[in-house]
């Protein structure tokens, strides 16, 4: 018996050592991917984490990419190889190469490399993740949904939520005339209510209530555990295995909630012939289109509603928080903006045309998104080997391309004194003198952000509503400077960002 146990133990130890050795060899091979190809790369990627060993620990990913960007640029490289955990990636430096990747040679870089498998993971079938022909077809179907005319239809809905924002702020300020307000909580509440209403026809009331079911579910996506992040990395690297084993990208509770919400909303609206000027109504029209090529399925509706809510609420609220912070720290800019808002919009009811005509507001928002981009990098994958123009380098097929938005927009060669908040960077003269592909808050080319118009509209309405009646100032608890939350998947400010709000 002892002899049999010894044999089993020897077999187990042999298998374990074999697997461990194979795993180590695989990780070491991935770590040295660029070095073995004599491709210019970072100096010392570590096992498993590659060049991102400090990401989500002591620094945000945007800062990691910025360090790599600065290193490669100092070496006068158009692109440099990096290792994103175990994925072969590359940081793109040259604006002309960025233009090629996003626009001119889009056919080589049309996918983002995000896992999607709509047949078994319905919510992964959204426009951000889909690839190839399925993405192309869906983009064509959805593009008419985001025209300026459709945005104008939703304006009154956004205005209704903005009026609630104004009323709530007035209550917070109260008879004292001023109060410390946590900007993150306030503006996440505003954008959640806007998107909840425009995407699902829901009265979330998250401005006044901390318990909003839609918001709680969304947080499960943004606050993923390290195990969930590792799972996502595995699914990106081994798409074939993930597809074969029908792996899902989201927690079951998230998928169940959004699919049931969309099905219930559609059922209720069609049964009672409910018509609303919102995103859901436009999707229902596509679902029931007489043109079979324009139709979308219920699962496609659920996936688009899911990503519309997720992206629209978080990115817009973060942009507004950062903008209010910068205005608090730069009172002269705030005064100039308020004067311009009063001149263009007056003191009566806001109109769609007036909101879009405050040119200095657009410059302030542009500078906010320059200094604090809501998405710190763009990603593409190469579907074939790509010779880099004007160099002897070739980007191999399957490379994960990182366009480091944050680094580009903090490069002093493009934006002198990049940590200074200066909306005049975006006046007509300065914009014309700068390479257009060093400012990419919404991406560029065929895969740019389809919801850009909507996002900007709710940001403009929210900012105008607050600034017409209230002044923001730094308070005793306001952080200086503003820090990034290193644990967040997005470049979000750390803490609640308290500011002093006073009635004008």
């Amino acid at each position: 018996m002892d002899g049999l146990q010894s044999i089993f133990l020897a077999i187990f130890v042999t298998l374990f050592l074999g697997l461990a050795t194979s795993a180590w060899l695989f990780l070491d091979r991935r770590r040295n991917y660029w070095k073995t190809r004599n491709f210019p790369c970072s100096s010392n990627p570590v096992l498993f984490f590659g060049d991102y060993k400090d990401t989500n620990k002591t620094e945000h990913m945007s800062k990691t990419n910025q360090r790599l960007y600065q290193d490669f640029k100092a070496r006068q490289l158009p692109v440099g190889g990096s290792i994103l955990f175990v994925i072969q990636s590359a940081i793109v430096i040259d604006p002309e190469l960025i233009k090629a990747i996003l626009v001119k040679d889009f056919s080589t870089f049309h996918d983002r490399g995000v896992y999607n498998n709509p047949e078994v993971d319905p919510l992964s079938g959204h426009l951000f993740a889909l690839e190839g022909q399925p993405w192309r077809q869906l983009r064509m179907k959805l593009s008419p949904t985001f025209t300026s005319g459709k945005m104008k239809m939703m304006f009154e809905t956004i205005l209704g939520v903005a009026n609630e924002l104004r009323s709530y702020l007035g209550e917070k300020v109260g008879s004292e005339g001023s109060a410390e307000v946590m900007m993150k909580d306030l503006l996440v509440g505003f954008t959640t209510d806007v998107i909840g209403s425009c995407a699902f026809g829901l009265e979330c009331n998250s401005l006044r209530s901390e318990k909003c079911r839609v918001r709680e579910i969304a947080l499960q996506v943004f606050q993923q555990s390290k195990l969930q992040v590792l799972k996502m990395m595995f699914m990106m690297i081994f798409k074939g295995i993930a597809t074969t084993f029908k792996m899902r990208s989201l927690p079951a509770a998230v998928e169940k909630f959004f699919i049931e919400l969309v099905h219930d909303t559609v059922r209720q609206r069609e049964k009672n012939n409910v018509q609303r000027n919102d995103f859901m109504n436009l999707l229902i029209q596509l679902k029931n289109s007489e043109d079979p090529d324009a139709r979308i399925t219920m699962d496609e509706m659920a996936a688009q509603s899911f990503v519309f809510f997720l992206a629209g609420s978080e990115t817009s609220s973060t942009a507004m928080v950062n903008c209010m912070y910068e205005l608090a720290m730069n009172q002269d800019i705030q005064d100039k903006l308020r004067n311009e808002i009063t001149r263009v919009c007056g003191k009566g009811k806001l109109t769609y045309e007036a909101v879009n005509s405050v040119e200095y507001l657009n410059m302030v928002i542009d500078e906010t998104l320059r200094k604090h981009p809501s998405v710190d990098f763009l990603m593409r994958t190469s579907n074939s080997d790509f010779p880099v123009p004007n160099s002897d380098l070739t980007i191999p097929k399957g490379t994960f391309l990182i366009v480091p938005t944050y680094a580009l927009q903090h490069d002093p060669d493009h934006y002198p004194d990049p940590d200074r908040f200066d909306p005049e960077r975006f006046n007509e003269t300065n914009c014309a003198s700068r390479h257009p592909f060093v400012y990419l808050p919404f991406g560029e080319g065929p895969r740019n952000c389809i919801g850009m118009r909507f996002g900007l509209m709710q940001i403009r309405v929210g900012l105008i509503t607050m600034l017409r009646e209230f002044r923001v100032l730094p308070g005793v608890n306001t952080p200086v400077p503003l820090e990034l939350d290193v644990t967040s998947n997005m470049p979000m400010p750390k803490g609640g960002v308290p500011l002093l709000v006073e009635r004008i």
Side-chain angles (χ1 to χ4, degrees):
M1 192 67 176
D2 288 343
L4 191 59
Q5 287 179 337
S6 298
I7 292 172
F8 280 130
L9 179 61
I11 293 173
F12 174 78
V13 170
T14 302
L15 288 173
F16 176 79
L17 290 175
L19 288 172
T21 302
S22 297
W24 187 90
L25 289 171
F26 170 78
L27 293 173
D28 189 60
R29 190 164 59 249
R30 299 303 299 175
R31 177 180 59 148
N32 292 301
Y33 178 87
W34 294 113
K35 291 179 181 177
T36 58
R37 287 162 175 77
N38 293 318
F39 195 99
C41 59
S42 57
S43 58
N44 191 32
V46 300
L47 211 64
F48 189 77
F49 294 102
D51 294 301
Y52 295 81
K53 61 183 177 66
D54 296 320
T55 297
N56 296 122
K57 294 178 183 177
T58 59
E59 69 178 11
H60 192 270
M61 188 171 180
S62 59
K63 298 291 187 178
T64 310
N65 286 334
Q66 186 180 31
R67 285 194 295 103
L68 292 167
Y69 171 91
Q70 290 168 341
D71 173 35
F72 296 145
K73 186 174 182 183
R75 291 152 62 182
Q76 299 183 325
L77 297 170
V79 60
S82 60
I83 303 298
L84 178 61
F85 298 96
V86 296
I87 301 174
Q88 68 191 62
S89 59
I91 306 289
V92 191
I93 313 301
D94 178 24
E96 280 299 313
L97 180 56
I98 293 171
K99 181 179 180 179
I101 290 168
L102 299 182
V103 181
K104 289 167 58 180
D105 295 287
F106 177 75
S107 59
T108 304
F109 303 98
H110 53 68
D111 297 333
R112 289 194 171 100
V114 179
Y115 173 79
N116 66 92
N117 186 6
E119 290 185 10
V120 299
D121 188 7
L123 292 190
S124 71
H126 52 75
L127 204 58
F128 185 85
L130 286 177
E131 300 177 337
Q133 192 60 22
W135 166 80
R136 204 169 276 108
Q137 291 173 341
L138 187 61
R139 178 87 184 201
M140 289 176 61
K141 293 175 183 179
L142 292 178
S143 290
T145 304
F146 289 94
T147 61
S148 56
K150 296 296 194 302
M151 295 304 100
K152 190 173 182 179
M153 286 170 45
M154 300 185 202
F155 181 76
E156 288 296 325
T157 301
I158 298 176
L159 203 58
V161 180
N163 288 333
E164 185 65 20
L165 171 66
R166 176 180 52 79
S167 174
Y168 178 70
L169 257 186
E171 293 171 17
K172 294 282 286 185
V173 170
S175 58
E176 298 294 323
S178 65
E180 183 182 82
V181 176
M182 289 294 182
M183 280 293 139
K184 187 183 289 187
D185 295 340
L186 175 76
L187 295 171
V188 164
F190 169 68
T191 57
T192 297
D193 286 352
V194 168
I195 302 291
S197 182
C198 288
F200 305 106
L202 294 175
E203 300 297 329
C204 295
N205 197 31
S206 57
L207 262 172
R208 297 178 180 274
S209 173
E210 293 182 1
K211 291 189 176 180
C212 170
R213 182 59 177 156
V214 183
R215 176 69 187 153
E216 290 173 357
I217 289 290
L219 284 175
Q220 291 186 35
V221 180
F222 283 104
Q223 297 177 348
Q224 296 186 55
S225 67
K226 290 184 178 180
L227 185 61
Q228 288 171 316
V229 173
L230 288 175
K231 176 185 171 184
M232 287 300 299
M233 294 297 298
F234 177 88
M235 293 162 70
M236 286 176 63
I237 301 166
F238 304 108
K239 283 187 181 180
I241 295 175
T243 302
T244 300
F245 286 92
K246 300 181 178 180
M247 295 179 69
R248 294 171 180 265
S249 57
L250 294 166
V254 174
E255 180 182 303
K256 183 175 185 291
F257 175 83
F258 276 100
I259 288 179
E260 287 184 354
L261 178 58
V262 169
H263 279 249
D264 290 346
T265 302
V266 173
R267 190 182 306 113
Q268 187 267 337
R269 290 195 183 190
E270 292 187 335
K271 180 180 178 181
N272 299 294
N273 194 27
V274 175
Q275 299 292 321
R276 285 174 55 102
N277 289 326
D278 60 14
F279 182 66
M280 182 60 70
N281 200 64
L282 296 172
L283 292 181
I284 291 173
Q285 290 175 8
L286 288 176
K287 180 181 78 73
N288 298 329
S289 173
E290 294 182 1
D291 180 0
D293 293 331
R295 284 182 206 146
I296 61 175
T297 66
M298 287 288 282
D299 280 349
E300 287 176 326
M301 287 181 66
Q304 309 328 307
S305 299
F306 162 73
V307 78
F308 181 57
F309 176 84
L310 214 62
S313 60
E314 290 297 332
T315 57
S316 295
S317 63
T318 299
M320 293 174 71
V321 169
N322 289 327
C323 187
M324 294 299 277
Y325 177 86
E326 292 293 350
L327 292 175
M329 304 305 292
N330 297 274
Q331 290 294 311
D332 55 335
I333 295 174
Q334 184 179 161
D335 288 339
K336 181 177 179 178
L337 175 57
R338 184 177 293 105
N339 291 336
E340 183 73 359
I341 288 171
T342 302
R343 184 184 69 80
V344 176
C345 299
K347 296 185 178 180
K349 181 181 177 181
L350 290 176
T351 66
Y352 179 78
E353 289 75 18
V355 164
N356 289 314
S357 299
V358 187
E359 192 54 43
Y360 192 64
L361 174 61
N362 294 334
M363 291 164 61
V364 167
I365 293 171
D366 284 345
E367 174 65 351
T368 299
L369 294 174
R370 193 267 323 159
K371 189 176 177 184
H372 309 278
S374 297
V375 178
D376 54 315
F377 68 96
L378 308 177
M379 50 190 180
R380 297 290 187 271
T381 55
S382 53
N383 57 34
S384 63
D385 290 350
F386 180 78
V388 176
N390 304 315
S391 80
D392 58 356
L393 302 175
T394 296
I395 297 172
K397 177 181 179 180
T399 300
F400 189 84
L401 276 298
I402 294 174
V403 178
T405 311
Y406 183 92
L408 283 162
Q409 296 176 184
H410 284 77
D411 186 336
D413 288 341
H414 305 313
Y415 300 95
D417 194 7
D419 291 330
R420 180 169 57 91
F421 187 78
D422 180 14
E424 292 301 327
R425 298 181 199 272
F426 291 91
N427 64 35
E428 189 175 346
T429 301
N430 286 332
C431 285
S433 65
R434 194 167 49 235
H435 197 292
F437 282 77
V438 297
Y439 180 67
L440 299 164
F442 296 100
E444 193 52 83
R447 283 202 89 135
N448 70 340
C449 176
I450 196 173
M452 177 179 67
R453 284 193 180 97
F454 183 90
L456 288 173
M457 181 168 65
Q458 69 171 336
I459 290 171
R460 290 180 186 126
V461 171
L463 292 175
I464 290 173
T465 298
M466 290 187 288
L467 293 169
R468 284 212 292 184
E469 296 191 26
F470 304 94
R471 176 181 297 277
V472 286
L473 304 103
V476 293
N477 297 310
T478 301
V480 180
L482 201 60
E483 292 183 41
L484 286 176
D485 181 355
V486 298
T487 65
S488 172
N489 295 329
M490 296 171 59
M492 299 174 66
K494 184 179 180 180
V497 191
L499 294 176
L500 185 66
V501 179
E502 64 177 27
R503 194 188 303 275
I504 297 175

